[in-house]
Amino acid sequence: MARVGRPPQDPARQLERAHRILDAAAELCLRWGYDKTTIDDVARQADVAKGTIYLHWKTREMLFAALIRRERVLLVREVRERAPADLRELLRELVGGLLRRPLMRALILDDSEVFGKLSRQKKSSQSTLDLGAAFGTYLHDLAGRGVLRSDLTPAEHLATLASVIYGFLFTQNMMPEQMRIPEDRLVELVADSGVRAMGTGATLSDDDARAVRLATLGYLDTMEEIAQRKLALSLGAKERVT
């Protein structure tokens, strides 16, 4: 007989409860911030016992790490569903998705009010390194199709693109409210600046355009696979997040 308080043996029920806890943690993190949100708070919000949370995650840090991993999966899935066909569309959808998801936006901007010390810890996350390697492979594929400038090294391509994305987002965040660029326009500026800084401006043949589209979608598939695998580890399950 199962002991009282153990996670439900049905994997679907166990996964549903884990997501309910993460939903509660997300709401409280946005309302109060990570540093002020306790396991007790999350348990009350999720309507579970405090000990139940510890049956899923050993520490508060592990709980919120799972929350961040789930946000990454949802972001990548959203972008993949929009099926961007090239680098410009990919940048537009990625940055637009970041801005639409408050937790991801706070994470990328190191918002201490939301994530506190956790935003500093995430910089050493292996998942970030994995996704960076996948993006490097994607850029290599684009360079092979004449899309990217040949006078820049792979490291310089990555540095240029990161500077464009982070530069726009951080600058926007530091501007007085009345001087901030509308977000839909900001997204277009990031995409345009990234392509102008890195691209050749060449007109692609139908075959090359098709190959670029497949490479873009393939990159997103790789991103989702990596993010999903790491989320599954945090949830203690292999089911896909819903």
Side-chain angles (χ1 to χ4, degrees):
M1 179 179 297
R3 294 178 301 187
V4 175
R6 292 185 62 188
Q9 295 303 301
D10 180 356
R13 289 180 57 206
Q14 184 174 351
L15 193 61
E16 183 279 329
R17 187 169 70 181
H19 282 298
R20 180 154 46 93
I21 294 169
L22 292 179
D23 289 341
E27 181 177 341
L28 295 177
C29 190
L30 289 171
R31 186 189 307 170
W32 296 335
Y34 168 79
D35 290 343
K36 295 181 180 179
T37 300
T38 67
I39 290 293
D40 289 305
D41 296 328
V42 176
R44 282 192 295 270
Q45 184 71 20
D47 194 25
V48 299
K50 178 179 179 180
T52 299
I53 296 180
Y54 286 118
L55 291 172
H56 287 275
W57 299 282
K58 293 181 181 180
T59 66
R60 186 174 70 118
E61 289 75 15
M62 292 177 70
L63 164 63
F64 280 90
L67 176 60
I68 291 172
R69 287 176 170 180
R70 187 177 71 163
E71 284 296 307
R72 288 194 181 112
V73 169
L74 295 174
L75 170 63
V76 174
R77 186 169 298 165
E78 176 186 324
V79 174
R80 179 61 177 81
E81 289 173 354
R82 292 172 180 263
D86 54 26
L87 181 60
R88 181 187 296 274
E89 292 183 9
L90 176 63
L91 292 177
R92 186 165 61 232
E93 297 301 340
L94 278 175
V95 175
L98 283 171
L99 294 176
R100 284 190 297 271
R101 306 193 70 84
L103 286 174
M104 288 303 298
R105 180 177 188 149
L107 190 68
I108 203 75
L109 293 174
D110 291 330
D111 189 335
S112 60
E113 291 186 7
V114 176
F115 278 114
K117 63 181 181 180
L118 199 63
S119 66
R120 296 184 292 275
Q121 295 172 359
K122 61 92 180 175
K123 292 180 180 178
S124 62
S125 168
Q126 184 61 42
S127 63
T128 300
L129 297 177
D130 287 343
L131 294 176
F135 198 73
T137 300
Y138 169 60
L139 293 182
H140 177 76
D141 291 341
L142 296 192
R145 293 288 171 174
V147 175
L148 300 182
R149 290 168 49 185
S150 60
D151 60 322
L152 297 179
T153 67
E156 289 170 342
H157 278 302
L158 284 171
T160 298
L161 196 53
S163 297
V164 169
I165 294 173
Y166 282 92
F168 270 104
L169 294 181
F170 275 99
T171 300
Q172 173 86 336
N173 201 48
M174 293 185 295
M175 295 287 283
E177 186 71 32
Q178 66 274 17
M179 296 184 65
R180 292 184 181 178
I181 302 169
E183 290 190 350
D184 56 347
R185 177 57 178 159
L186 181 69
V187 167
E188 294 297 334
L189 287 173
V190 171
D192 185 64
S193 298
V195 170
R196 285 176 180 269
M198 300 169 55
T200 62
T203 300
L204 299 181
S205 67
D206 290 344
D207 286 345
D208 283 338
R210 188 179 304 110
V212 167
R213 179 178 182 276
L214 291 176
T216 304
L217 297 179
Y219 163 64
L220 289 169
D221 289 339
T222 299
M223 282 185 70
E224 183 175 353
E225 180 185 352
I226 292 170
Q228 180 62 51
R229 184 171 65 246
K230 291 181 178 298
L231 174 62
L233 290 174
S234 286
L235 297 178
K238 295 182 179 179
E239 288 80 357
R240 292 173 63 86
V241 64
T242 57

